[in-house]
């Protein structure tokens, strides 16, 4: 069968590449064409456009690159129309992908499947109308999404397991490298996000807070693959923080505690059993703090707490983000009952994620559903 996949970011490239690998195991005649990245390209097929030409985040960058975004979308629609795939598989990236889904359904080209569902439970819940109208099958990687989609919106979905849990399990079965280990002191890991704006907003305060403990702990910054080392150096000059690039799992495997910006990194840190403080600075913190209570549809911002459905890790976001608060919460989890309670909460997260291998489970369902439709 012919599969057209669209992933607009580095994380989507990773998850889509693993799905492609599993699809090949279930469909010996699988053909791929895709918007994605290097990892997807390594699995075979035709890379139409790299995600680096798609990933614009925030109002101003989107506005500045609007002609490029619209051109990419037009080219994607034309390419799908000309190739006539058996299915379009969308991977997260809802701003772009939901518009593609609308086009594919309006022109009756093929079924639309969504792998890694849009996080409409946090914001833009109105998108449920687009999903119901234009997405034939939705594959979720977060267990709490089942109640949201099925009970609240009466839209059946498939929970297939969590690929981050799969990746952590696989990594822990391989021999570790030495990249995150620079000496005998225990490590406090810093994970400051994967975008320059996140790093600029969060990292300076995270470093100042962690420096209180640098006599007894080595401070190690896990650098994101997409960020140049030179960008980090402006924040590290004059500090003892050591930068380790492209080895986040290695750093986490050696960490005693961590300061982490919100996102998938919070879940990765929990799955490695590293107590953490979630830190996320925003502009106009008091206003954002107030709006968060009024507008955000969920109680928490970290995946750890959302999956556990309770506060397992402390979230210092907007008006609670400060050096003093980070220092205080970090000290609590370096030793003592708060540390032990968090580790027990992590076990609960593992249980809720289940044992299904997400890409294999999704590929099995996708091929099964498509064959039933033929």
């Amino acid at each position: 069968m012919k599969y057209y996949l669209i992933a607009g970011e580095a994380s989507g490239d990773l998850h889509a590449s693993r799905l492609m690998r599993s699809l090949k195991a279930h469909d010996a005649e699988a053909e791929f064409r895709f918007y994605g990245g290097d990892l997807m390209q390594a699995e075979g097929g035709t890379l139409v456009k790299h995600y680096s030409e798609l990933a614009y985040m925030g109002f101003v960058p989107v506005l500045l690159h609007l002609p490029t975004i619209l051109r990419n979308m037009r080219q994607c629609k034309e390419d799908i129309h000309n190739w006539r795939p058996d299915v379009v598989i969308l991977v997260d990236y809802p701003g772009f992908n939901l518009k593609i889904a609308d086009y594919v359904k309006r022109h009756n080209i093929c079924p639309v499947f969504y792998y890694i569902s849009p996080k409409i439970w946090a914001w833009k819940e109105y998108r449920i109308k687009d999903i119901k109208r234009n997405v034939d099958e939705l594959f979720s990687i977060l267990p709490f999404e089942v109640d949201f989609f099925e009970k609240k919106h009466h839209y059946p979905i498939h929970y297939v397991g969590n690929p981050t849990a799969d990746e952590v399990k696989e990594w822990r079965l391989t021999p570790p490298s030495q990249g995150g280990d620079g000496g005998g002191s225990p490590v406090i890991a810093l994970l400051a996000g994967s975008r320059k704006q996140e790093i600029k907003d969060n990292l300076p305060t995270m470093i100042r807070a962690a420096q209180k403990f640098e006599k007894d702990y080595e401070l190690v910054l896990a650098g994101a693959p997409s960020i140049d080392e030179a960008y980090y150096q402006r924040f590290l000059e004059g500090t003892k923080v050591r930068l380790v690039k492209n080895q986040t799992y290695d750093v986490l495997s050696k960490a005693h505690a961590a300061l982490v910006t919100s996102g998938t990194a919070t879940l990765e840190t929990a799955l490695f059993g590293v107590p953490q403080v979630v830190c996320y600075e925003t502009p106009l913190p008091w206003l954002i703090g107030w709006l968060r209570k009024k507008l955000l549809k969920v109680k928490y911002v970290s995946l750890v707490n959302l999956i556990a459905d309770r506060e397992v890790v402390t979230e210092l976001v907007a008006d609670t983000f400060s050096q003093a608060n980070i220092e205080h919460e970090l000290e609590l989890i370096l030793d003592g009952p708060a540390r032990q309670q968090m580790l027990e909460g992590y076990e609960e997260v593992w249980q809720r994620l289940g044992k299904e291998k997400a890409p294999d489970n999704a590929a099995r369902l996708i091929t099964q559903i498509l064959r039933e439709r033929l």
Side-chain angles (χ1 to χ4, degrees):
M1 285 182 280
K2 296 167 68 176
Y3 303 87
Y4 200 109
L5 295 93
I6 305 173
E9 298 176 287
S11 61
D13 178 38
L14 170 63
H15 297 317
S17 70
R18 289 174 177 255
L19 177 63
M20 290 166 66
R21 189 181 309 167
S22 295
L23 284 168
K24 288 187 289 186
H26 287 81
D27 179 3
E29 298 180 352
E31 295 180 56
F32 299 110
R33 195 170 175 88
F34 48 88
Y35 274 40
D38 300 341
L39 297 175
M40 294 171 73
Q41 193 168 22
E43 293 299 326
T46 302
L47 173 64
V48 180
K49 196 169 288 288
H50 198 281
Y51 68 78
S52 59
E53 299 180 57
L54 304 176
Y56 301 110
M57 305 298 294
F59 179 77
V60 173
V62 167
L63 196 62
L64 291 173
H65 294 92
L66 190 58
T68 302
I69 293 168
L70 294 175
R71 183 171 63 253
N72 287 337
M73 193 170 294
R74 183 177 65 252
Q75 290 173 346
C76 185
K77 291 174 181 177
E78 291 173 356
D79 197 55
I80 291 171
H81 185 273
N82 293 335
W83 199 55
R84 309 302 292 189
D86 292 300
V87 63
V88 169
I89 302 176
L90 309 173
V91 184
D92 204 359
Y93 201 56
F96 187 94
N97 276 337
L98 286 175
K99 292 180 175 64
I100 297 298
D102 179 68
Y103 173 84
V104 173
K105 296 306 291 184
R106 279 191 293 107
H107 290 79
N108 198 29
I109 296 173
C110 65
V112 175
F113 291 0
Y114 218 123
Y115 179 62
I116 306 184
S117 50
K119 299 174 181 62
I120 63 169
W121 37 264
W123 56 83
K124 299 185 178 180
E125 191 171 350
Y126 61 83
R127 283 176 165 169
I128 187 63
K129 295 179 182 178
D130 297 327
I131 291 172
K132 284 184 171 182
R133 183 177 65 248
N134 298 322
V135 176
D136 296 283
E137 303 286 344
L138 190 151
F139 302 86
S140 165
I141 64 168
L142 296 170
F144 61 85
E145 290 184 333
V146 176
D147 281 353
F148 173 82
F149 282 103
E150 295 192 347
K151 290 186 178 180
K152 185 173 183 180
H153 291 291
H154 312 291
Y155 177 74
I157 69 171
H158 310 274
Y159 173 66
V160 294
N162 187 275
T164 301
D166 298 335
E167 288 147 20
V168 171
K169 286 176 188 173
E170 287 177 18
W171 190 93
R172 296 179 87 166
L173 292 173
T174 62
S177 73
Q178 300 303 312
D181 189 349
S185 298
V187 169
I188 293 176
L190 308 177
L191 286 74
S194 59
R195 301 187 183 101
K196 287 185 176 181
Q197 188 63 48
E198 284 181 323
I199 295 164
K200 177 176 174 289
D201 290 343
N202 291 283
L203 184 57
T205 306
M206 292 166 71
I207 290 174
R208 288 195 298 272
Q211 282 175 322
K212 178 180 178 181
F213 309 95
E214 66 183 8
K215 288 183 180 179
D216 299 312
Y217 295 88
E218 183 187 10
L219 309 184
V220 179
L221 171 62
S226 58
I227 305 297
D228 292 335
E229 186 171 336
Y231 186 78
Y232 286 112
Q233 291 305 328
R234 71 179 72 180
F235 305 107
L236 303 186
E237 190 174 348
T239 76
K240 295 181 180 179
V241 178
R242 185 165 62 89
L243 173 65
V244 174
K245 283 273 289 174
N246 304 327
Q247 297 181 54
T248 298
Y249 283 9
D250 198 44
V251 172
L252 285 174
S253 73
K254 299 175 175 72
H256 182 76
L259 302 179
V260 190
T261 59
S262 185
T264 304
T266 63
L267 180 57
E268 291 171 326
T269 303
L271 296 177
F272 271 96
V274 180
Q276 66 185 293
V277 182
V278 176
C279 316
Y280 206 87
E281 197 266 353
T282 66
L284 303 172
W286 291 102
L287 176 60
I288 297 298
W290 180 83
L291 289 173
R292 178 188 168 199
K293 296 183 180 74
K294 298 293 182 182
L295 300 179
L296 200 63
K297 301 292 185 180
V298 289
K299 292 182 288 185
Y300 309 110
V301 299
S302 69
L303 287 177
V304 179
N305 291 344
L306 286 165
I307 292 166
D309 195 27
R310 66 181 182 87
E311 188 177 272
V312 173
V313 299
T314 300
E315 299 178 351
L316 301 179
V317 180
D319 53 330
T320 59
F321 177 95
S322 70
Q323 179 180 335
N325 285 349
I326 296 171
E327 287 177 1
H328 174 72
E329 296 298 334
L330 179 55
E331 189 164 23
L332 288 177
I333 60 171
L334 291 176
D335 195 17
R339 179 182 179 84
Q340 188 56 40
Q341 287 171 10
M342 194 174 293
L343 292 173
E344 290 169 2
Y346 287 172
E347 291 300 318
E348 187 179 334
V349 171
W350 268 114
Q351 291 172 11
R352 293 200 175 204
L353 290 174
K355 296 182 179 180
E356 294 278 10
K357 194 168 184 179
D360 288 352
N361 199 23
R364 177 182 57 80
L365 287 167
I366 288 169
T367 52
Q368 177 184 318
I369 292 167
L370 289 174
R371 284 173 181 140
E372 289 171 356
R373 283 172 172 262
L374 293 176

